[in-house]
Amino acid sequence: MRINPKIYHAADGKEAIDVQKLEDERVIEIYSMDDFEDIYNEYTSQSKFYVWSSEDGINYRIYVENGYYEGLKDLYSANINKVWLDFWDECEKIGNKFSKQIIMPLTLLCVIIYLIGVSVWHWKLWICILILGTFLVLIMFLNRLSKKKISDVNVKSVAEIKKYLGEKHFDELLEFQRGYADAFYERKYPDELDDEDKDNSLEEKENSTDVKENEDKKNEEN
């Protein structure tokens, strides 16, 4: 499956952190995102700490931020990566089937019926609108069915990963993943966070002073 092909060659000539050769001849190379300034800035600014890339669906490269990789290294083992590649391949198959075997034939059939109906049977406008509406409803239903199949494959893939890692360890990694963005920005912008804490402290102090002054005024009035 082709994924972000534009950034694939950014790692040409660079040394990978890890190289994984799968049994089906697919190869996965893992690189430190920190070594690629443009990729690093683009993705970490969106709180994305890893990105996959492939031009041919056989050779893959993963760019992953150092701290993220160190904390979640087990999620980037060959076995886990293979699960995700299989998942993407299955999603691509479902998408292609939906597009080529369902959408395109249905669209062609709808166009043919419309042209015959207008030119031969002299259908009125409301009949054409009815056919178009039926076609759109059918497409929506089939699209929902396609998404359901992809969701089922995703659930199966996650269950496979849980089985491999163990549910407890999987939950620990998931917890680390959820909190990593905050930890990353605290580490990257410590001065800004200190200034924010100072501002909050000053605001609390001012509020406290205002409350005390109001209480003093009330006591004087009484």
Side-chain angles (χ1 to χ4, degrees):
M1 180 176 180
R2 284 170 56 86
I3 309 173
N4 301 311
K6 291 183 178 180
I7 63 173
Y8 180 81
H9 289 290
D12 287 352
K14 299 285 187 177
E15 183 177 355
I17 298 173
D18 189 19
V19 178
Q20 303 165 355
K21 297 181 179 180
L22 306 183
E23 294 178 357
D24 53 13
E25 298 185 354
R26 288 181 294 187
V27 178
I28 302 170
E29 299 174 346
I30 301 177
Y31 293 89
S32 169
M33 183 186 285
D34 301 53
D35 295 336
F36 306 91
E37 184 177 358
D38 291 342
I39 296 175
Y40 179 89
N41 290 334
E42 178 180 354
Y43 286 92
T44 58
S45 65
Q46 304 173 52
S47 297
K48 295 178 181 178
F49 304 104
Y50 71 95
V51 56
W52 285 72
S53 177
S54 177
E55 279 191 326
D56 54 15
I58 298 175
N59 298 288
Y60 291 85
R61 286 173 174 172
I62 308 174
Y63 301 93
V64 56
E65 191 269 334
N66 282 343
Y68 193 83
Y69 180 69
E70 288 302 319
L72 298 169
K73 189 177 293 185
D74 289 346
L75 285 181
Y76 291 94
S77 66
N79 290 327
I80 303 301
N81 286 334
K82 184 180 183 301
V83 171
W84 288 123
L85 290 182
D86 291 342
F87 166 71
W88 290 331
D89 287 345
E90 189 63 28
C91 289
E92 188 174 35
K93 290 178 183 177
I94 294 172
N96 288 339
K97 182 178 180 181
F98 178 71
S99 177
K100 295 178 180 179
Q101 298 183 20
I102 298 177
I103 298 296
M104 293 176 65
L106 277 177
T107 303
L108 182 60
L109 178 62
C110 184
V111 171
I112 291 173
I113 292 175
Y114 171 78
L115 293 175
I116 293 175
V118 172
S119 60
V120 178
W121 299 325
H122 305 292
W123 281 351
K124 294 182 179 180
L125 179 61
W126 69 269
I127 298 178
C128 297
I129 294 175
L130 180 62
I131 291 176
L132 178 61
T134 303
F135 171 74
L136 292 176
V137 170
L138 182 60
I139 292 299
M140 291 172 62
F141 171 77
L142 293 173
N143 184 50
R144 183 176 298 180
L145 186 63
S146 176
K147 288 182 178 179
K148 175 66 168 57
K149 289 183 178 180
I150 291 175
S151 177
D152 291 342
V153 176
N154 182 58
V155 170
K156 182 180 177 181
S157 299
V158 172
E160 190 175 347
I161 293 173
K162 278 187 178 182
K163 183 178 179 181
Y164 179 78
L165 293 173
E167 189 163 352
K168 181 180 179 181
H169 187 41
F170 176 84
D171 290 340
E172 290 172 350
L173 293 173
L174 192 62
E175 188 66 27
F176 177 88
Q177 188 180 51
R178 286 171 176 164
Y180 188 75
D182 290 339
F184 173 81
Y185 290 117
E186 286 176 6
R187 185 173 69 248
K188 188 174 182 180
Y189 305 110
D191 293 338
E192 292 184 12
L193 291 172
D194 288 344
D195 291 341
E196 184 178 344
D197 290 340
K198 290 177 181 178
D199 291 341
N200 290 336
S201 178
L202 182 60
E203 183 177 353
E204 290 176 0
K205 186 176 180 180
E206 290 176 348
N207 291 336
S208 176
T209 302
D210 291 341
V211 170
K212 188 175 184 306
E213 288 178 353
N214 288 334
E215 289 180 349
D216 291 341
K217 288 180 179 180
K218 287 182 179 179
N219 290 334
E220 289 177 0
E221 292 174 357
N222 293 333

